[in-house]
Amino acid sequence: MADADLETGQVEAAYSANVLGNALEGAFALGQDLLWEVGINRIPVVNVENACTSGSTALHLACLAIAAGAAEIVAVVGVERMSTRKGAIPAGALTPEGAVGFLTPAVFAVRARAYLETFGGRAEDLALVAVKNLKNASLNPNAVVQTAVTYEEVLGSPMVADPLTRLQCCPMCDGAAALILGSPAAARRLSSNPVWITASVLASGSYPSILDQARWEMDVRAARRAYELAGIGPADLDLAEVHDAFTISEVLHYEGLGFCGEGEGLSWLLEGHPFPGGGLPVNPSGGLLGRGHPLAATGVAQVVELNRQLRGRAGLGQVPGAKTALAHCMGGDKQADGKSITVMILQG
Amino acid sequence: MADADLETGQVEAAYSANVLGNALEGAFALGQDLLWEVGINRIPVVNVENACTSGSTALHLACLAIAAGAAEIVAVVGVERMSTRKGAIPAGALTPEGAVGFLTPAVFAVRARAYLETFGGRAEDLALVAVKNLKNASLNPNAVVQTAVTYEEVLGSPMVADPLTRLQCCPMCDGAAALILGSPAAARRLSSNPVWITASVLASGSYPSILDQARWEMDVRAARRAYELAGIGPADLDLAEVHDAFTISEVLHYEGLGFCGEGEGLSWLLEGHPFPGGGLPVNPSGGLLGRGHPLAATGVAQVVELNRQLRGRAGLGQVPGAKTALAHCMGGDKQADGKSITVMILQG
């Protein structure tokens, strides 16, 4: 609100994302409560849950509300409290897969194994994703991780699900992020250098055979549509925030989002492209691995970070001259393809 | 789908509402799972939770998606499983109010007492709302209650929160409802007699002092806006489905929605206006009291029922010549004014 120089009374609608509040704290229609705490009431408020794409889905809905002419100025919030007094996260344990130990890290370990078997490469090289993202996080005061780590430290951290060590799994944490979205007219009125969302794509998985874990069809489909809407291609991107829930995720997303060809993700990483100063810095904020992954806050936080980048306010992590960026979230890993995906293109 | 003569591949987006799945069963991004079960995947799917307005909020979002030009044909589903194996509903018990017994029936009992003290009237007359709605439900094969009850039976049922007896509190139950929404062009293509949503208003409460329990400011505000959007007034309505979670709720909503003046709800009821054959039949489907209240299904089910009415397919409960209808939901009773409200106008 302060950044947009807005009074609470100017916000016409709000989209609020949260995943675990219901299950852990019996919090229903949470958005109304938190908005009321900051003096916003009476307006349309929608509470969204879309697994790990909850925050970006809320943002997508805000775009639709503006496109529909239903509001000129919309607030988007993503909040998550994972360090609740109740402690355990019950979701996985309630599924048949979870009950036998096939929790999220195991799902992604299977994906890593499938990827390496299909396309070759060394499992140890995945650690470079964590080295990069935790280093980036150490330069971002909003990140939960504030210490860079070495390749050896990543590989030496406790094994969670082979080949994924603990530092290759994103940390759960509390977090919140918020954005103000305006119609084109409102954005021009409120800011001398607004950032434009030139594409917002929400899609769900095609749920193919669980045997195909080495490719992310959902990524390919959603990214193509986003590039088409924005009238650009991956070569036009200056930076990207992608859903690196695990190191293998980021490598798969390089390919799915068209940053490199199929099966080329690991070599693209080894060649340095996604590092700061590379051709297409990926997760300069630290990503999920370094910034942390407070579920519903993540999709909003990505765009907060890209907004800073595109306005030249990203501090030590600034990508010089950043003009065009991509934000990507995926959620729900029960099926091979995921349950939900968002791809957004932002332009400064 | 069958009623709309649609193939699954024609649905371009879906909005799915559910309240308790997260808390009771660890179900996240539930909509994707249930749509996949009926052969719908790859499309944008949004999961919505907005307390007791969850289903109608999903419908509101579907309207916005169509208005934004993001889709031509959208599915809306509301589902709730309250008879889960886990049994207890934890939400109320986790709040400070719930822990000391101030659960939803008590909140509405306070409202009933405040109303009667402010405007006068006999508490026993509230029972007529249940008599009317359970009689209506007995004519609706989709209602959970299939037996009409007498005034004496309503008042003689166990006291839950004075003056509200058990038959004056809506029954919780499992339930599901679904709608297909089309753009104007798609609706004309798919149906020879489509029903038009001519207003859809979502708002949240103003959270005034908890001392003012005898009026529903949120109702007044949302209804005025809905009538304005549709270009009609309450006198133009042929029937309405309103959120009769408790008998007192329906009486308060008569006033808030402008069916009668402030303080006139009970006498309007006693004069027979909201009964079948009266000037403005309210809850001919049985309402929450008779049809049941599977939380997120309710807002969708109301519109399914009104759709039947406006197409002359409501069977024994048909309101003759119904052309214009109102659907109303409210959710979240923690504050005096509620956390969320939807008012929709439908025209045949």
Side-chain angles (χ1 to χ4, degrees):
Chain A
M1 301 287 297
D3 183 45
D5 197 21
L6 274 185
E7 305 292 326
T8 51
Q10 293 175 269
V11 175
E12 298 165 31
Y15 291 82
S16 176
N18 175 256
V19 176
L20 294 170
N22 282 11
L24 297 185
E25 308 186 59
F28 297 96
L30 179 64
Q32 282 87 332
D33 285 341
L34 66 90
L35 288 160
W36 183 77
E37 293 282 345
V38 295
I40 297 177
N41 60 354
R42 301 168 67 101
I43 63 169
V45 179
V46 175
N47 292 278
V48 182
E49 183 272 303
N50 228 9
C52 294
T53 64
S54 296
S56 49
T57 298
L59 178 55
H60 181 76
L61 292 174
C63 293
L64 288 182
I66 286 173
E72 291 280 311
I73 298 177
V74 181
V76 179
V77 292
V79 297
E80 208 70 60
R81 185 155 65 183
M82 305 180 84
S83 66
T84 171
R85 60 193 153 87
K86 297 199 71 183
I89 308 290
L94 290 172
T95 64
E97 301 90 342
V100 295
F102 197 57
L103 293 165
T104 310
V107 172
F108 281 82
V110 168
R111 204 181 274 281
R113 286 286 166 212
Y115 180 84
L116 296 169
E117 278 168 29
T118 305
F119 298 116
R122 292 166 8 103
E124 293 76 10
D125 290 342
L126 292 170
L128 282 177
V129 175
V131 172
K132 170 177 72 68
N133 292 356
L134 272 61
K135 174 71 194 314
N136 290 346
S138 74
L139 304 176
N140 179 359
N142 289 325
V144 72
V145 174
Q146 290 289 312
T147 314
V149 292
T150 64
Y151 176 77
E152 291 72 23
E153 284 170 326
V154 174
L155 291 175
S157 65
M159 184 59 73
V160 173
D162 195 355
L164 303 174
T165 57
R166 192 165 70 194
L167 289 172
Q168 298 188 59
C169 306
C170 64
M172 299 194 294
C173 58
D174 294 355
L179 286 165
I180 301 292
L181 226 72
S183 67
R188 285 196 186 91
R189 199 168 64 238
L190 291 169
S191 172
S192 58
N193 61 338
V195 165
W196 303 96
I197 298 176
T198 53
S200 176
V201 174
L202 169 66
S204 55
S206 52
Y207 295 22
S209 159
I210 196 151
L211 295 174
D212 188 5
Q213 295 267 339
R215 295 168 184 86
W216 228 319
E217 187 274 336
M218 186 167 74
D219 270 13
V220 176
R221 183 160 38 91
R224 277 190 188 148
R225 178 71 183 137
Y227 293 134
E228 184 182 287
L229 285 169
I232 65 161
D236 298 308
L237 296 174
D238 297 314
L239 76 163
E241 292 282 331
V242 313
H243 203 80
D244 59 323
F246 301 90
T247 50
I248 179 62
S249 317
E250 187 172 304
V251 173
L252 282 162
H253 296 316
Y254 297 155
E255 302 181 10
L257 298 170
F259 300 168
C260 62
E262 190 177 89
E264 298 173 4
L266 268 184
S267 52
W268 195 73
L269 170 69
L270 291 167
E271 288 159 11
H273 300 286
F275 282 78
L280 174 48
V282 174
N283 288 321
S285 76
L288 281 64
L289 287 165
R291 196 184 58 241
H293 186 27
L295 309 180
T298 290
V300 183
Q302 286 181 331
V303 176
V304 169
E305 296 286 355
L306 291 177
N307 181 59
R308 280 205 193 96
Q309 287 280 358
L310 297 174
R311 299 169 87 184
R313 299 180 181 177
L316 293 173
Q318 180 69 44
V319 174
K323 292 289 170 213
T324 303
L326 179 147
H328 160 275
C329 276
M330 66 80 57
D333 42 36
K334 214 158 81 178
Q335 277 82 6
D337 201 32
K339 291 169 82 171
S340 186
I341 182 165
T342 55
V343 178
M344 293 178 189
I345 308 286
L346 294 102
Q347 298 186 265
Chain B
M1 301 287 295
D3 183 44
D5 198 19
L6 274 186
E7 304 291 326
T8 50
Q10 293 174 270
V11 175
E12 297 165 31
Y15 291 83
S16 176
N18 175 257
V19 177
L20 295 170
N22 282 11
L24 297 185
E25 308 187 57
F28 297 96
L30 178 64
Q32 282 86 333
D33 285 341
L34 66 90
L35 288 160
W36 184 77
E37 294 281 347
V38 296
I40 298 177
N41 61 354
R42 300 168 68 100
I43 63 171
V45 178
V46 175
N47 292 279
V48 182
E49 185 274 301
N50 228 8
C52 294
T53 64
S54 295
S56 49
T57 298
L59 178 55
H60 181 76
L61 292 174
C63 293
L64 288 182
I66 286 172
E72 291 280 311
I73 298 177
V74 181
V76 179
V77 291
V79 296
E80 208 69 61
R81 186 155 64 184
M82 305 179 84
S83 67
T84 172
R85 62 195 151 86
K86 296 197 71 182
I89 308 291
L94 290 172
T95 64
E97 302 90 340
V100 295
F102 197 57
L103 293 164
T104 310
V107 171
F108 281 81
V110 168
R111 203 181 274 280
R113 287 285 166 213
Y115 179 84
L116 295 168
E117 279 168 27
T118 305
F119 298 116
R122 294 169 3 108
E124 294 76 10
D125 290 341
L126 291 171
L128 281 178
V129 175
V131 171
K132 169 177 73 68
N133 292 358
L134 273 62
K135 174 69 193 313
N136 289 347
S138 74
L139 304 176
N140 179 359
N142 288 325
V144 73
V145 173
Q146 289 289 311
T147 314
V149 292
T150 64
Y151 176 78
E152 290 73 24
E153 285 170 326
V154 174
L155 290 175
S157 64
M159 184 60 73
V160 173
D162 195 356
L164 302 174
T165 57
R166 192 165 70 194
L167 290 171
Q168 299 188 58
C169 306
C170 64
M172 300 194 293
C173 59
D174 295 355
L179 286 165
I180 301 293
L181 227 72
S183 67
R188 284 197 188 90
R189 200 168 63 238
L190 291 170
S191 172
S192 57
N193 62 336
V195 165
W196 303 95
I197 298 175
T198 53
S200 176
V201 174
L202 169 67
S204 56
S206 52
Y207 297 21
S209 159
I210 198 151
L211 296 174
D212 187 6
Q213 296 267 338
R215 295 169 185 87
W216 228 318
E217 187 274 336
M218 185 167 76
D219 270 12
V220 175
R221 182 160 37 90
R224 276 190 189 147
R225 180 70 184 134
Y227 294 134
E228 183 181 289
L229 284 170
I232 65 162
D236 298 308
L237 296 175
D238 297 314
L239 76 163
E241 292 282 331
V242 314
H243 204 79
D244 59 322
F246 300 90
T247 50
I248 179 63
S249 317
E250 186 172 304
V251 173
L252 283 161
H253 296 316
Y254 297 155
E255 302 180 10
L257 298 170
F259 300 168
C260 63
E262 191 177 89
E264 299 173 3
L266 267 184
S267 52
W268 195 73
L269 170 69
L270 290 168
E271 288 160 12
H273 301 286
F275 283 78
L280 175 46
V282 174
N283 287 322
S285 77
L288 281 64
L289 287 166
R291 196 183 59 240
H293 186 26
L295 309 179
T298 290
V300 183
Q302 287 181 330
V303 176
V304 168
E305 297 285 356
L306 292 177
N307 181 59
R308 279 204 193 97
Q309 288 279 356
L310 297 173
R311 300 169 87 186
R313 300 179 181 178
L316 293 173
Q318 180 67 46
V319 175
K323 293 287 170 212
T324 304
L326 179 146
H328 160 275
C329 276
M330 66 79 58
D333 42 37
K334 214 157 84 178
Q335 277 82 8
D337 201 31
K339 291 169 84 171
S340 187
I341 183 167
T342 55
V343 178
M344 294 180 189
I345 309 285
L346 294 102
Q347 298 188 265

